[in-house]
């Protein structure tokens, strides 16, 4: 796929933003001849609402108990403009915008965790820790809530990337985790995070394993290199591939499209649709399958979101891969980063994406072909109970999904460890074997489950008096 094509979506709305900035000052009331929908988006500003905003702005400047800096006040107003939109739209000041770009490019200084600011501004939810970073090594889990940093409440921290800092510096997080009786502290040392988004190894002779932990600028090219290395180790051709997308929070859509294109000879990969035509796009595969038709199994779980779901949906809908694991997160929206002339940026949800079958997975996720359950763990090592309902559908203010609320919906689970990899390999080698085994195990468990028996009734002996009746003896289970 041509590089220019894959870069289109991320840059698509820049002209629209410029247009909006140029036309916004020319405010008009809503009377008059109706313009086109797209023109109305950028050229018609409700004057009464603008007057109300200016009145409140001036009241704060004039009467608030302490003086307020104009720039800070305006930044707060702009952040508030995005606050009641979906949870993925946000405002970045210049420093935060730079940090976001660094993360997308795969190198930054911090602890290595994907965060979601909560609407109450009192906590941040961990979407997923990044492999082999201080966060992952310290045991930070998807679903954890960070309520304080270095003892300072989240609500008092004025930054969207508060965990960034010089490599070598320490930071203490106060964590709330379901299943723990009270908040606890975790101390970490920041480091330069050079995110290795692709890892690989041979599981067995001829059967490869590739782990994609995130989608960043070089993920597509790195994926190609790892496939070639695995093929070389296997004597030129792989018999099959397990593609692990567990707890992959997403990233650049174009990187996921490139990986899908490398595994498909033809067919649609993904399409996007927004309010204005410039946010509509369609990505199709070009000839050339790196694996030459060798079977693929995609391993996903509740932490697989956004670009991960694009890739899983594209491969399954094109009948190129089977999905094993649990229901995915359900983030079916596209965010575009819109740079402003002062160095700040707006990350704005601009479109929904649709898998090749034409379905939106917003707030519903991708249901696996073979559903796995988390392995039982000791109480002290158990995952947070909140992960039993960890999904886009639980985020306050999320976009409504086309199929949201359908009967039988249940959120997926996070599936850590090597057990799911072994199941994915078994399914790769013998399709249907894992589902059959799980069905047999469930039937066996149901058969041996003890049934409650009625209490045994003990009759008194003939020579006993009523007062000497023994107490009823409960039946053995």
């Amino acid at each position: 796929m041509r590089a220019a094509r894959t870069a289109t979506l991320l840059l698509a709305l820049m002209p629209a933003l410029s247009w909006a900035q140029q036309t916004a000052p020319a405010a008009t009331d809503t009377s008059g001849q109706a313009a086109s929908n797209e023109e109305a988006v950028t050229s018609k500003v409700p004057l009464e609402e603008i007057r109300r905003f200016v009145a409140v702005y001036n009241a704060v400047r004039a009467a608030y108990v302490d003086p307020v800096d104009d720039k800070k006040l305006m930044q707060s107003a702009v952040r508030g403009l995005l606050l009641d939109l979906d949870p993925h739209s946000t405002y970045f000041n210049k420093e935060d915008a730079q940090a976001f770009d660094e993360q997308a490019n795969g190198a930054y200084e911090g602890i290595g965790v994907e965060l979601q600011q909560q609407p109450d501004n009192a906590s941040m939810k961990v979407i997923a820790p990044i492999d082999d970073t201080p966060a992952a090594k310290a045991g930070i889990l998807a679903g954890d809530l960070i309520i304080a940093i270095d003892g300072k409440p989240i609500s008092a921290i004025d930054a969207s990337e508060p965990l960034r800092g010089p490599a070598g510096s320490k930071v203490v997080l106060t964590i709330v985790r379901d299943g723990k009786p009270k908040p606890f502290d975790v101390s970490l040392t920041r480091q330069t995070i050079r995110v290795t988004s692709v890892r690989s190894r041979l599981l067995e002779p001829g059967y490869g394993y590739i782990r994609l932990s995130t989608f960043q600028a070089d993920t597509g090219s790195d994926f190609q290199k790892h496939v070639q290395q695995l093929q070389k180790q296997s004597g030129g051709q792989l018999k099959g591939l397990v593609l692990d997308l567990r707890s992959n929070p997403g990233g650049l859509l174009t990187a996921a499209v490139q990986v899908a294109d490398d595994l498909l000879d033809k067919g649609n990969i993904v399409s996007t649709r927004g309010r204005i035509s410039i946010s509509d796009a369609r990505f199709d595969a070009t000839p050339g399958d790196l694996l030459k038709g060798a079977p693929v199994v995609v391993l996903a779980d509740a932490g697989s979101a956004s670009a991960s779901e694009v890739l899983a949906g594209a491969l399954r809908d094109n009948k190129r891969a089977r999905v094993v694991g649990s229901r995915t997160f359900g983030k079916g929206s596209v965010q575009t980063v819109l740079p402003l002339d002062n160095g700040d940026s707006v990350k704005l949800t601009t479109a929904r994406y649709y898998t090749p079958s034409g379905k939106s997975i917003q707030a519903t996720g991708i249901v696996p072909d073979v559903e796995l359950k988390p392995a039982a763990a000791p109480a002290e090592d158990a995952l947070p109970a909140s992960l039993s309902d960890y999904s886009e559908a639980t985020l306050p203010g999320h976009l409504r999904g086309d199929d949201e609320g359908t009967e039988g919906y249940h959120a997926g689970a996070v599936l850590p460890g090597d057990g799911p990899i072994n199941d994915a390999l078994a399914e790769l080698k013998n399709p249907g074997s894992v589902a059959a085994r799980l069905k047999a195990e469930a039937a066996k468990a149901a058969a041996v489950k003890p049934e409650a028996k009625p209490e045994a009734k003990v009759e008194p002996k003939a020579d006993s008096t009523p007062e000497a009746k023994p107490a009823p003896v409960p039946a053995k289970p």
Side-chain angles (χ1 to χ4, degrees):
M1 181 172 291
R2 296 188 300 273
R5 173 59 175 159
T6 60
T8 300
L9 186 63
L10 195 60
L11 303 176
L13 292 198
M14 288 184 183
L17 178 69
S18 175
W19 183 20
Q21 290 175 327
Q22 293 169 7
T23 57
T28 63
D29 64 30
T30 55
S31 62
Q33 186 175 3
S36 68
N37 288 339
E38 292 187 13
E39 184 178 358
V41 170
T42 56
S43 64
K44 289 193 174 183
V45 179
L47 286 180
E48 289 303 317
E49 300 303 324
I50 295 298
R51 292 189 183 105
R52 184 177 296 111
F53 168 79
V54 172
V56 174
Y57 185 90
N58 285 333
V60 172
R61 293 181 67 221
Y64 185 66
V65 62
D66 293 322
V68 182
D69 178 72
D70 279 340
K71 181 178 179 180
K72 182 176 181 180
L73 186 58
M74 185 57 73
Q75 277 201 335
S76 297
V78 174
R79 290 184 190 278
L81 185 66
L82 302 169
L83 188 62
D84 286 339
L85 302 181
D86 73 298
H88 306 293
S89 296
T90 188
Y91 183 86
F92 292 144
N93 61 30
K94 184 176 181 180
E95 293 75 20
D96 294 335
Q98 290 173 343
F100 182 83
D101 289 341
E102 289 172 358
Q103 188 168 0
N105 290 326
Y108 63 96
E109 293 183 339
I111 67 168
V113 68
E114 181 82 7
L115 296 174
Q116 175 67 59
Q117 180 75 49
Q118 299 302 286
D120 60 4
N121 289 325
S123 63
M124 294 185 295
K125 177 175 279 189
V126 175
I127 299 299
I130 298 172
D131 291 350
D132 293 331
T133 61
K137 293 174 181 176
I140 303 297
L141 298 174
D144 282 350
L145 288 178
I146 301 173
I147 61 171
I149 299 174
D150 289 331
K152 189 175 183 180
I154 295 298
S155 58
I157 299 174
D158 185 23
S160 63
E161 295 286 350
L163 297 179
R164 300 294 178 89
S169 61
K170 293 187 180 298
V171 63
V172 177
L173 309 184
T174 303
I175 303 288
V176 171
R177 179 178 296 170
D178 283 354
K180 296 287 187 181
K182 58 183 181 179
F184 59 95
D185 289 343
V186 178
S187 180
L188 305 96
T189 301
R190 298 182 180 94
Q191 66 182 45
T192 300
I193 309 296
R194 292 183 177 87
V195 180
T196 302
S197 63
V198 187
R199 291 182 175 82
S200 66
R201 68 178 190 268
L202 284 179
L203 297 174
E204 289 183 5
Y207 290 95
Y209 167 86
I210 293 183
R211 161 74 176 158
L212 300 182
S213 60
T214 187
F215 290 95
Q216 55 194 37
D218 56 0
T219 299
S221 58
D222 284 349
F223 176 78
Q224 294 175 355
K225 294 174 183 176
H226 281 265
V227 169
Q228 293 167 358
Q229 290 171 3
L230 291 173
Q231 288 173 330
K232 185 177 180 180
Q233 294 170 24
S234 299
Q237 182 63 33
L238 287 173
K239 297 177 183 178
L241 177 70
V242 172
L243 185 58
D244 189 351
L245 302 179
R246 291 175 298 167
S247 293
N248 180 326
L252 298 179
L253 174 64
T254 50
V257 167
Q258 186 175 351
V259 173
D261 191 16
D262 286 337
L263 297 173
L264 293 168
D265 256 327
K266 60 181 180 179
N268 176 240
I269 295 173
V270 67
S271 58
T272 66
R273 301 175 215 162
R275 284 183 61 204
I276 57 178
S277 59
I278 200 169
S279 62
D280 295 348
R282 179 185 171 93
F283 297 88
D284 294 318
T286 55
D289 175 1
L290 290 181
L291 295 180
K292 297 179 174 58
V296 177
V297 163
V298 173
L299 186 55
D301 68 3
S304 305
S306 193
S308 299
E309 296 171 292
V310 168
L311 177 55
L315 296 180
R316 186 169 70 177
D317 284 5
N318 282 288
K319 302 187 185 305
R320 183 65 185 87
R322 288 169 60 78
V323 179
V324 172
S326 66
R327 188 190 293 262
T328 59
F329 189 77
K331 181 179 176 293
S333 60
V334 179
Q335 285 68 46
T336 303
V337 178
L338 308 174
L340 303 177
D341 54 10
N342 66 344
D344 296 355
S345 294
V346 173
K347 180 163 72 79
L348 189 67
T349 298
T350 54
R352 287 178 169 86
Y353 72 74
Y354 296 82
T355 64
S357 64
K359 292 184 178 180
S360 166
I361 56 86
Q362 171 63 21
T364 57
I366 293 176
V367 180
D369 300 297
V370 179
E371 186 171 4
L372 305 179
K373 302 294 184 183
E380 64 272 14
D381 297 328
L383 291 173
S386 60
L387 298 189
S388 62
D389 193 17
Y390 177 59
S391 66
E392 173 83 5
T394 64
L395 295 180
H398 70 274
L399 296 177
R400 179 78 182 177
D402 293 345
D403 297 323
E404 185 174 352
T406 54
E407 186 176 353
Y409 170 85
H410 64 87
V414 174
L415 302 171
D418 290 338
I421 299 175
N422 297 332
D423 286 335
L425 176 61
E427 185 67 18
L428 183 64
K429 296 168 67 176
N430 187 8
S433 62
V434 174
R437 191 201 80 217
L438 294 175
K439 184 177 180 180
E441 289 175 353
K444 182 178 179 181
V448 300
K449 185 177 180 180
E451 296 183 2
K453 295 181 181 180
E455 290 186 343
K457 192 173 183 179
V458 180
E459 297 293 339
K461 294 180 181 180
D463 59 349
S464 299
T465 61
E467 289 76 17
K469 279 186 180 180
V473 179
K476 293 182 180 180

